[in-house]
Amino acid sequence: QVQLVESGGGLVQAGGSLRLSCAASGRIFSNYAMGWFRQAPRTEREFVAAISSSGAYTNYVDSVKGRFTISRDNAKSTVYLQMNKLIPEDTAVYYCAARYGSMRSDKADFGSWGQGTQVTVSS
């Protein structure tokens, strides 16, 4: 498995921005599709965004399209989530996940997970 460590979470006012990072180690990063998921209290963990192993393809949940951007730097074994125009409904613990092979959006398809980073958006 690949080991994942997220960073970049915090408290931000509505309308603000944050950039999450996820550093990977342990395997060849460029072989893995990556995803970001989030989980608010008393809710299921939900898909946010995914990126293919090469970075050529991305996918987003409708609620973040136009506001969030997923990207990766394979030379640094790192995936990013740039979050703009944040709203209180974006408040959650954000998790990075890795999947060997092609891009997916179902959390059941991801075998490696980070510990999560808290994002809180105040109104």
Side-chain angles (χ1 to χ4, degrees):
Q1 287 190 341
V2 61
Q3 288 75 48
L4 304 170
V5 179
E6 302 99 332
S7 61
L11 173 64
V12 63
Q13 288 189 330
S17 298
L18 282 174
R19 188 176 83 153
L20 305 183
S21 299
C22 173
S25 62
R27 291 291 187 267
I28 300 174
F29 182 68
S30 59
N31 287 340
Y32 287 79
M34 301 298 294
W36 286 97
F37 293 78
R38 65 186 179 186
Q39 188 168 17
R42 298 174 297 281
T43 68
E44 293 285 328
R45 190 171 299 187
E46 68 167 352
F47 169 77
V48 176
I51 189 166
S52 63
S53 56
S54 68
Y57 302 99
T58 58
N59 187 27
Y60 299 90
V61 68
D62 285 347
S63 60
V64 308
K65 285 180 180 176
R67 300 189 298 121
F68 291 11
T69 302
I70 188 171
S71 62
R72 65 190 294 159
D73 185 338
N74 283 350
K76 296 182 178 179
S77 298
T78 301
V79 64
Y80 305 96
L81 186 67
Q82 177 67 44
M83 304 186 295
N84 299 328
K85 301 178 182 178
L86 284 160
I87 60 178
E89 289 76 14
D90 294 321
T91 296
V93 177
Y94 282 71
Y95 297 90
C96 172
R99 180 183 189 278
Y100 185 85
S102 58
M103 186 176 67
R104 292 286 190 274
S105 60
D106 189 333
K107 58 182 179 292
D109 291 323
F110 288 79
S112 298
W113 293 84
Q115 82 289 350
T117 185
Q118 176 71 47
V119 171
T120 303
V121 184
S122 63
S123 58

